[in-house]
């Protein structure tokens, strides 16, 4: 643990004037009188009917339910768009920065309103109704946000699928949520390369069991695409024929807002379901407090809207707060490694939020790429998605922020809807590498493997002991999986899947996943998913996947593969296996190493000892622990020998 500490007092105070004593008072109230605290926070939003019931939560696995603001009625899109029209209709809601540095656009709240209404009417014209599921498979362009908000406006439940996912992954999500419509683009652009989105959609829809009534295609690059009879429509054309106004649908606070798929330690990705009222209150409050957001700031979160970070901190949180949010289509290293800082200067970005993997990649390119840009508009930096090593933190703080911007390391998950542990600017003393302290209403705790609470400075499994409004409500279509995944390991507690240390000041240091979930460049991947992609190859009998430390990506993917009888290792086969994973999941799941082996270390009952596989992948043979219980202890030497030879 780094001993360095940067006191809040040594940095500029919060622009909001929020001070340490305010945090203490608010935090204590949020814990001591949660319903009163969250009742007050509901007034951040415009309600059609204000809620009178604040929370009704049970984490008992036989009666698990989570309800916030359950008698409230509102519309999320109205809160992000319409209610700002009178006060800031002509101010910029979205700044779009294209992949091509010569492309940029400012969209005011008034323009946003018209676009979103048109998108909503386009969906209605195709008979999409309240409660229907709509897949959004788009590049990082404003039309992705219009599509999300349009769904929210008419009460349809969107499920955004990251544009980097393969047709196979897209197909399984379409089937799982029973979507009737899909919104996509002809192509996406990333770092000068084209992403064939519509082609991927065609491939997904050609798969068995996939059926969709409507595909709306935004013409972005103008590429040649095939259109299928009554199913496919060019969105640009449809929008010309629809009315520019659309009434927002009154939604109950507990009506679903979106489903977002995320990987777990077993099985296929699960559809994390978030509802309307609690999610919106939480996204809006965390955006304002964690980022000290004030009118006039330009907020840039570099995530993709295909992830939860993009949902909460590009679209819903900032727009609920009437902010100016920047959407960037490209990548941080195109056309060169100075792109982020060029964009910061060009659009006067004041708050910048990114992932440690991007920071490490930019750090490797050298300081000049940063220092040759002015960056004086920046006043706050944030990170999310994976543990940040103190070295990268210090570089971010000293080089990017010139030692004058607080760095907020925000810990949270797809399931949590918004940030749960983070420093607050002007309030929290910073320790590089620590996510620091809980947000309002959040009660983190550490437990040992038997579920006993561990007090004081210690290491343990991170749990949360009480609900908050942004919490996911269920796994779409599989409530039992929700109960089992999160509330059964430690009954009565929400298990995060993460390990953490708490230091003597009560600061939390997230140490990473303690389950079989990998975190590759801040993206979640289940080892089981990658293994099942590998065994789908005709030459593969069995596969075991583990993570290993990777300088840039945080974790890399190491796959052990046993071939079927009669198959032998070749360069060609290894390439085929990598391609197979790309095809089944997407490029982000591509293994960094494929290790063909005659066997795996298994216990006599057949359980794979992943601990040993992790150590060997890490090239760390000193601490393999007890291998005597293995069915075939000799396999360990074979694996090590093989590893050394690669
Ligand atoms: O392991 C933690 C890591 O990312 C996981 C959640 O991944 P996902 O649902 O994809 O959401 C990522 C963006 C919110 C967590 O279980 N994680 C997220 N933020 C941090 C982190 N690990 C350490 N420090 C963080 N700030």
């Amino acid at each position: 643990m780094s001993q360095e500490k940067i006191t809040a007092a040594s940095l500029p105070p919060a622009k909001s004037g929020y001070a340490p004593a305010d945090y203490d008072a608010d935090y204590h109230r949020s814990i001591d009188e949660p319903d009163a605290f969250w009742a007050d926070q509901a007034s951040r939003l415009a309600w059609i009917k204000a809620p009178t019931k604040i929370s009704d939560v049970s984490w008992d696995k036989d009666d698990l339910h989570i309800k916030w603001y359950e008698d409230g009625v509102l519309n999320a899109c109205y809160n992000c768009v319409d209610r700002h029209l009178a006060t800031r209709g002509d101010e910029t809601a979205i700044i779009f920065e294209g992949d091509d540095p010569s492309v940029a656009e400012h969209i005011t709240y008034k323009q946003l309103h018209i676009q979103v209404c048109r998108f909503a009417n386009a969906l209605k014209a195709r008979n999409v109704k309240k409660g229907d599921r709509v897949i959004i498979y788009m590049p990082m362009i404003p039309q992705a946000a219009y599509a999300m908000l349009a769904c929210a406006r008419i009460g349809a439940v969107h499920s955004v699928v990251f544009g980097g996912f393969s047709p196979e992954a897209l197909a399984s999500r379409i089937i799982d949520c029973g979507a009737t419509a899909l919104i996509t683009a002809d192509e996406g652009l990333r770092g000068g390369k084209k992403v064939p989105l519509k082609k991927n959609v065609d491939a997904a829809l050609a798969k068995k069991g996939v059926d969709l009534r409507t595909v709306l295609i935004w013409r972005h690059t103008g590429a040649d695409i095939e259109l299928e009879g009554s199913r496919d429509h060019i969105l640009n054309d449809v929008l010309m024929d629809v009315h520019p106004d659309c009434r927002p649908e009154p939604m109950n606070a507990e009506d679903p807002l979106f489903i977002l798929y995320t990987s777990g330690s077993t099985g296929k990705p699960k559809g994390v379901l978030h509802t309307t009222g609690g999610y919106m209150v939480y996204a809006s409050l965390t955006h304002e407090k964690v980022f000290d957001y004030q009118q006039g700031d330009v907020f840039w979160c570099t995530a993709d809207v295909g992830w939860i970070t993009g949902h909460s901190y590009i679209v819903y949180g900032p727009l609920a707060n009437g902010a100016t949010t920047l959407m960037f289509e490209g990548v941080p290293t195109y056309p060169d490694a100075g792109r982020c800082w060029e964009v910061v200067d060009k659009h006067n970005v004041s708050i910048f939020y990114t992932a440690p993997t991007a920071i490490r990649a930019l750090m490797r390119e050298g300081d000049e790429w940063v220092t040759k840009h002015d960056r004086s508009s920046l006043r706050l930096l944030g990170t999310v998605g994976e543990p940040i090593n103190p070295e990268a933190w210090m570089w971010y703080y000293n080089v990017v922020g010139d030692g004058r911007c607080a760095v907020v390391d925000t810990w949270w998950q797809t399931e949590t809807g918004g940030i749960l542990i983070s420093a607050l600017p002007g309030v929290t003393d910073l320790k590089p590498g620590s996510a620091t302290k809980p947000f309002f209403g959040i009660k983190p705790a550490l437990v040992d493997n038997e579920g006993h609470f561990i007090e004081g400075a210690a290491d343990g499994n991170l749990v949360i002991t009480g609900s908050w409004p942004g919490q996911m409500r269920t796994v779409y279509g599989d409530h039992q999986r929700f109960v089992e995944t999160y509330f059964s390991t430690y009954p009565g507690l929400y298990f995060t899947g993460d390990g953490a240390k708490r230091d003597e000041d009560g600061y939390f240091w997230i140490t990473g996943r303690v389950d079989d979930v990998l975190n590759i460049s801040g993206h979640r991947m289940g080892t089981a998913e990658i293994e099942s992609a590998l065994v789908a190859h005709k030459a593969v009998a069995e596969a075991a996947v583990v993570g290993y430390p990777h300088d840039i990506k945080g974790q890399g993917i190491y796959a052990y593969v046993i071939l079927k009888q009669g198959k032998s290792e070749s360069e060609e086969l290894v390439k085929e296996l990598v391609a197979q994973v790309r095809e089944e999941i997407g490029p982000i799941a591509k293994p960094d190493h494929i290790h063909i082996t005659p066997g795996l270390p298994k216990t006599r009952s057949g359980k794979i000892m992943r601990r040993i596989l992790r150590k060997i992948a890490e090239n760390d043979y000193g601490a393999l622990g007890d291998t005597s219980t293995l069915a075939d202890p000799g396999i360990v030497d074979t694996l090590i020998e093989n590893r050394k030879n690669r």
Side-chain angles (χ1 to χ4, degrees), residues 309 385-387 409-414 498 510 513 519 524:
T309 312
E386 47 177 323
D409 173 359
T410 64
W411 174 83
W412 58 297
Q413 310 177 297
T414 307
D498 279 325
I510 310 299
R513 301 288 305 195
N519 194 327
R524 246 165 98 163

Side-chain angles (χ1 to χ4, degrees), residues 496-557:
T496 63
D498 279 325
K501 287 185 214 292
R502 187 176 41 218
D503 71 13
E504 53 293 342
D505 295 329
Y507 277 44
F508 287 90
W509 302 70
I510 310 299
T511 48
R513 301 288 305 195
V514 293
D515 53 11
D516 289 327
V517 171
L518 306 179
N519 194 327
I520 315 296
S521 300
H523 299 149
R524 246 165 98 163
M525 279 286 109
T527 50
E529 275 173 85
I530 306 173
E531 287 160 6
S532 87
L534 286 166
V535 294
H537 189 282
K538 57 184 184 315
V540 177
E542 195 174 354
V545 168
V546 296
Y548 71 98
H550 187 287
D551 282 351
I552 302 291
K553 302 202 283 186
Q555 271 189 310
I557 300 176

